[in-house]
Amino acid sequence: KTPDDFGNQGALPINPGLLDYLATSFVESGWDMKQLHRQIMLSATYQQSSVIRPALFETDPENDLLARGPAFRLSAEMIRDNALAVSGLLVDKKGGKSVYPYQPPGLWDEISNKVWRYKYLQEPGDGLYRRSLYTIWKRTSPPPTMMIFDATDRTFCTVKRRSTSTPLQALVLLNGPQFIEAACVLAEKIKTQEPQTEKQLNKAFRILLGRKPDAKEQKMMNDFYLKQKEKYDLRKEDAIAYLETGESERNLSLDPAGTAALAFVINGLMNTSEGYSRN
């Protein structure tokens, strides 16, 4: 519980036998990090459901005995990468220079008025959709989206990140151009694959949350979709403006009102706890 303090002020290991076993097998593997990760992730313990059983929670509320799987919010980088991956926008290229994804214009200019100040070089192309690992990082002005989701500012070493829940996080997921663009691209993809609205909604739900919706969730999605489609049918220009968020080209063969309504539902699903959590 105190990974930043292994001294006499820190908490003692709860499962020392398990730690000894993992440490021994790690050494015997030749210090193979990939083998260690595989060993943990393929174990029956790691693959358990995170659903809390009342009787077990009463005897082990902190899950010290590892009787249920881990449940946690994805890290800042993983939240963005996940949105890009489900939409098909993620560029899975390894290595190379730092890239400049979407960022509020003029942000770097606010911290320096020098004529020689370094410019933020956002430009169309693969750089907008590379993994967050490759995002340019300026120590005095870190990527704001990542900071809102509790990424550290890298001014000092941090062993374990904190995890907060703030209204700003919902604003990023609902209004950030990267997330809106991902929702629109996924909506267009689903629209071209499924002709029926109900199947479109079910597919979006399955892709984003990893399960099928129940009857109540199905009704909520359908009502929300119809409400948004009715609004966009009256204001097609708003639907087109929404679908043109980001640098991706809009599919002109699709009805903008229906596609924007589906994208709105997808964007809402991204903003649910299941949408950005590992359960």
Side-chain angles (χ1 to χ4, degrees), residues 20-261:
D20 287 345
Y21 168 75
L22 289 174
T24 302
S25 60
F26 181 43
V27 174
E28 291 176 347
S29 70
W31 306 90
D32 189 335
M33 290 293 294
K34 184 177 290 188
Q35 171 62 29
L36 177 63
H37 293 160
R38 184 185 294 113
Q39 183 180 15
I40 293 172
M41 294 183 67
L42 294 182
S43 68
T45 302
Y46 187 85
Q47 295 182 58
Q48 293 179 115
S49 169
S50 61
V51 175
I52 299 176
R53 288 166 283 176
L56 193 59
F57 181 77
E58 186 175 342
T59 58
D60 185 24
E62 298 295 326
N63 197 30
D64 293 334
L65 303 178
L66 305 180
R68 61 178 183 272
F72 51 85
R73 196 196 70 197
L74 299 179
S75 66
E77 295 86 349
M78 292 170 67
I79 289 174
R80 175 179 172 274
D81 292 355
N82 182 63
L84 292 174
V86 297
S87 67
L89 285 171
L90 185 67
V91 176
D92 193 21
K93 175 185 174 183
K94 294 180 174 62
K97 297 180 180 180
S98 296
V99 295
Y100 297 74
Y102 300 115
Q103 180 171 287
L107 191 63
W108 282 15
D109 296 339
E110 293 295 324
I111 60 173
S112 175
N113 58 4
K114 303 290 191 298
V115 295
W116 44 263
R117 64 179 178 269
Y118 194 70
K119 300 289 185 181
Y120 193 79
L121 307 175
Q122 179 181 311
E123 56 186 21
D126 290 354
L128 297 174
Y129 313 112
R130 296 284 308 278
R131 290 175 56 199
S132 301
L133 171 70
Y134 300 108
T135 297
I136 187 75
W137 199 284
K138 189 172 185 177
R139 190 176 61 188
T140 53
S141 182
T145 299
M146 292 194 199
M147 299 306 295
I148 288 172
F149 282 103
D150 304 317
T152 56
D153 60 11
R154 303 189 182 183
T155 55
F156 54 87
C157 177
T158 302
V159 178
K160 184 178 181 180
R161 292 184 183 181
R162 61 176 183 167
S163 182
T164 63
S165 179
T166 71
L168 283 176
Q169 294 167 356
L171 288 174
V172 168
L173 292 173
L174 290 174
N175 300 301
Q178 198 92 78
F179 296 97
I180 294 177
E181 182 181 18
C184 292
V185 170
L186 179 57
E188 290 181 346
K189 184 184 298 185
I190 292 175
K191 279 282 187 181
T192 59
Q193 296 171 348
E194 297 288 353
Q196 298 180 359
T197 300
E198 182 177 345
K199 289 184 177 180
Q200 292 169 3
L201 294 171
N202 286 341
K203 186 165 187 173
F205 193 97
R206 182 67 181 269
I207 289 173
L208 291 163
L209 305 189
R211 63 179 178 84
K212 296 180 180 180
D214 58 31
K216 182 179 179 182
E217 291 166 336
Q218 179 71 56
K219 184 178 184 305
M220 290 175 63
M221 277 198 303
N222 190 62
D223 291 347
F224 188 45
Y225 172 84
L226 293 176
K227 182 179 179 181
Q228 293 302 317
K229 189 175 185 304
E230 182 181 354
K231 179 185 75 173
Y232 284 131
D233 278 331
L234 297 174
R235 298 183 63 87
K236 290 285 181 69
E237 65 276 11
D238 288 349
I240 293 173
Y242 187 74
L243 293 172
E244 289 183 343
T245 301
E247 298 292 338
S248 298
E249 293 186 8
R250 179 170 66 90
N251 189 335
L252 300 178
S253 65
L254 297 174
D255 169 41
T259 308

